[in-house]
Amino acid sequence: MKRINKLIKGIASAVLMTVMLCGCSDIGFGDQSMLRPPRATGDQAAMQQIISEEAAGSYTLKYPQKGEFRSAVNIFEDSDGTEYAAALYSTDNDSRMHVTIMVHDKDKEKDKWRSLGSCSNSGTGVDRIIYRDITSDGKGEFLIGWSGYNPGVNNLVVYSLYSDTVREMVIDEPYTDFVIADITGDKTDDIMLLSLRNNQSPSTATLFQYSEQDKRPISKFALVLDSEVTEFNSVVSGKIDKKTTGIVIDGENALEQNSTQVIYYDKKEKKLVDPLLTETDSGQNKNVTLRKEVITARDIDGDGIIEVPVISEMAAPKDIKAGNVCSCTAWKQINTEDGSLITRMNTVYNYNDSYYFILPERWASNVTALSDSENRLLTFYVWSNNTLTLGDKLLEIHRYNRSEWDRMDQGDYMMLYTVNNKGREFIIAAQIFKTKQKGMESLNLEKSELEENVKLI
């Protein structure tokens, strides 16, 4: 559905301005402020009046804790130009959460907001609110995640606008996170609920689709996730190849190790799959992306497709301290035909100094890197796979304090970036070296290549 979501600052900002102008002091500030202000004007006044009538007493605005829309009152616009608003609040009359959904009648004779109805929920707060068309009727639905007493355990309710009234569709499965996207490729948005493990069940991903027969979203596909993951750090939907939309989850386990899971719908097998998660002979989960580094999947090369990071230690002589040997982060795309991984880019990250270097393709397996954290130095060398020894130096990347840089003989160093951190200025600079090792001359780096391949984190 072609739609426009329009987020307004909501009643709270209008109320705050009115209170400031009128000197009223009986309103508390913050996310749980009680709405008892002098009347606002325009849309805000009309909405405020509707909420007051629906609440039948004093009420407290409730603000979503996650997602794009964080106001207690959000306005959304359908493809036909009709505006709808959802107000989130609790009342002094009971302990439940409430939502009032309103429509804007734009008829010249009655240009006003009116209520379509209110619904209540036993949750303790609002996780997030989304407005999407999951029924393929050309009109959006309000999807509200209500938070519960247990952290990370929420329930999702879909509010559909049917014959100018609000119809409530409860999804009877708790979630930790959820995503709305067209996963199955049928041109209609699906609901993907993600749940971390508990005492009764493992971590799961469950895909819900709206059923015209049942008049509600029903569970269609499910997949067991990596139950070693104890926290979701990032959950996004996006293209994982040119044709396939997937859900990409970056999470952390109890040992503070990070990993990526990618869920997509296999049209041939007609099921959800995650090619990154495999099972060993002992029955344990194995994920090739498991890493200690806090780094998340992303579109690293700007081609519109999400890559996942696979990290491995680079080659080095045995007498080099392990802490000085750099790791190579290979950014890989998933081949959805067979679940294999295709390397799109290799990088070396310097987290302490906030930059990374993109390895030229010709450097693969022929170059290694050592880090000297004390001197803020990253050095790349020719690597001999035959003798397992370091060869000529190819590149140094150094971080200097501004004062160091200004008074030093800069020589052949090229300044790449000026970085400000907590009021201090640093210089990221590099020096290129040339090798004359037989057969290795092609590894030499050009200045234009250097400038292109060093990126700030």
Side-chain angles (χ1 to χ4, degrees):
M1 178 188 71
K2 181 180 179 181
R3 60 182 176 78
I4 302 174
N5 285 348
K6 182 173 63 176
L7 174 65
I8 63 169
K9 293 181 179 179
I11 292 177
S13 60
V15 167
L16 175 59
M17 183 60 69
T18 308
V19 171
M20 291 172 65
L21 293 175
C22 298
C24 178
S25 60
D26 64 345
I27 177 172
F29 299 125
D31 285 352
Q32 307 302 323
S33 55
M34 188 68 72
L35 186 61
R36 297 194 187 101
R39 287 198 176 277
T41 60
D43 285 346
Q44 289 80 14
M47 292 178 184
Q48 180 182 326
Q49 179 63 33
I50 291 171
I51 300 170
S52 296
E53 293 173 356
E54 295 286 338
S58 58
Y59 58 92
T60 302
L61 292 173
K62 294 295 180 178
Y63 294 77
Q65 299 303 301
K66 296 179 182 177
E68 181 181 356
F69 305 104
R70 299 293 185 95
S71 289
V73 180
N74 295 285
I75 293 178
F76 303 91
E77 186 176 298
D78 257 336
S79 57
D80 63 0
T82 303
E83 290 181 326
Y84 297 96
L88 305 161
Y89 58 94
S90 64
T91 73
D92 287 354
N93 299 328
D94 58 39
S95 60
R96 297 176 297 173
M97 298 294 103
H98 299 268
V99 57
T100 292
I101 295 178
M102 297 164 272
V103 63
H104 187 196
D105 290 324
K106 294 184 178 181
D107 189 289
K108 292 183 179 180
E109 296 181 1
K110 52 173 184 177
D111 186 1
K112 65 178 183 180
W113 287 91
R114 60 183 173 86
S115 174
L116 293 176
S118 297
C119 298
S120 60
N121 188 275
S122 59
T124 61
V126 184
D127 176 55
R128 74 193 73 178
I129 180 171
I130 295 176
Y131 187 70
R132 298 285 282 274
D133 181 11
I134 65 164
T135 62
S136 292
D137 64 354
K139 299 186 71 65
E141 283 74 45
F142 291 91
L143 296 97
I144 301 178
W146 301 101
S147 53
Y149 289 97
N150 297 321
V153 180
N154 314 292
N155 72 289
L156 179 63
V157 181
V158 181
Y159 301 93
S160 178
L161 306 179
Y162 181 76
S163 298
D164 219 18
T165 59
V166 178
R167 184 160 60 90
E168 184 180 42
M169 297 178 282
V170 178
I171 295 181
D172 294 321
E173 184 172 320
Y175 74 86
T176 306
D177 212 323
F178 79 90
V179 179
I180 309 298
D182 179 12
I183 303 300
T184 56
D186 62 358
K187 309 301 182 182
T188 300
D189 282 331
D190 306 303
I191 302 171
M192 183 75 82
L193 293 191
L194 306 172
S195 301
L196 288 171
R197 69 177 182 183
N198 54 44
N199 294 332
Q200 289 76 39
S201 59
S203 299
T204 56
T206 307
L207 186 145
F208 288 79
Q209 291 181 324
Y210 180 77
S211 167
E212 186 62 38
Q213 179 179 345
D214 296 281
K215 300 297 181 184
R216 65 184 180 89
I218 62 171
S219 173
K220 296 289 289 186
F221 307 100
L223 177 69
V224 175
L225 300 177
D226 184 356
S227 289
E228 296 300 315
V229 172
T230 58
E231 182 179 357
F232 296 143
N233 294 327
S234 172
V235 178
V236 298
S237 64
K239 291 293 185 183
I240 58 171
D241 67 15
K242 291 182 179 180
K243 297 180 179 180
T244 307
T245 296
I247 306 297
V248 182
I249 307 167
D250 286 296
E252 183 178 306
N253 64 21
L255 300 177
E256 297 185 345
Q257 296 172 316
N258 299 276
S259 63
T260 301
Q261 299 175 81
V262 177
I263 307 167
Y264 63 93
Y265 178 68
D266 187 319
K267 292 183 179 180
K268 292 181 181 179
E269 299 291 332
K270 296 184 178 180
K271 64 179 183 179
L272 297 177
V273 295
D274 176 8
L276 299 181
L277 187 63
T278 58
E279 192 174 284
T280 64
D281 293 337
S282 61
Q284 299 295 314
N285 288 331
K286 179 183 178 181
N287 190 318
V288 295
T289 70
L290 193 66
R291 55 194 181 270
K292 63 181 179 180
E293 293 84 356
V294 182
I295 186 171
T296 58
R298 67 196 66 180
D299 178 12
I300 192 71
D301 57 1
D303 65 351
I305 298 172
I306 298 174
E307 286 83 24
V308 299
V310 177
I311 300 177
S312 59
E313 189 174 88
M314 302 182 79
K318 293 182 179 180
D319 59 346
I320 299 293
K321 292 182 180 179
N324 292 339
V325 181
C326 293
S327 294
C328 175
T329 301
W331 293 92
K332 298 176 178 285
Q333 288 181 1
I334 293 175
N335 180 351
T336 57
E337 292 295 322
D338 58 12
S340 62
L341 297 175
I342 304 168
T343 300
R344 296 288 296 175
M345 181 185 295
N346 288 303
T347 56
V348 173
Y349 274 73
N350 185 333
Y351 294 97
N352 290 333
D353 297 330
S354 302
Y355 67 85
Y356 65 93
F357 179 72
I358 302 171
L359 296 175
E361 289 186 18
R362 63 187 184 279
W363 279 22
S365 75
N366 293 314
V367 172
T368 193
L370 300 179
S371 173
D372 181 351
S373 57
E374 182 177 350
N375 292 302
R376 301 291 187 178
L377 181 63
L378 182 62
T379 308
F380 294 85
Y381 297 90
V382 175
W383 173 253
S384 172
N385 290 294
N386 295 325
T387 61
L388 304 182
T389 56
L390 296 177
D392 289 342
K393 186 187 300 184
L394 294 171
L395 174 67
E396 284 185 354
I397 306 176
H398 204 132
R399 194 198 82 170
Y400 294 99
N401 295 327
R402 166 57 81 174
S403 57
E404 289 180 298
W405 176 256
D406 288 342
R407 65 174 182 264
M408 68 179 278
D409 179 6
Q410 297 168 8
D412 293 327
Y413 268 91
M414 180 191 307
M415 186 173 74
L416 300 172
Y417 293 101
T418 300
V419 180
N420 289 291
N421 184 9
K422 298 180 180 179
R424 300 179 64 190
E425 190 171 79
F426 301 97
I427 304 298
I428 305 296
Q431 183 175 0
I432 294 173
F433 299 86
K434 299 292 184 180
T435 180
K436 294 183 180 180
Q437 285 183 235
K438 187 177 180 180
M440 294 297 179
E441 295 87 351
S442 65
L443 299 180
N444 288 328
L445 205 63
E446 299 298 327
K447 287 186 177 181
S448 59
E449 200 172 12
L450 171 63
E451 291 175 314
E452 181 66 24
N453 285 22
V454 178
K455 307 287 186 182
L456 294 178
I457 296 176

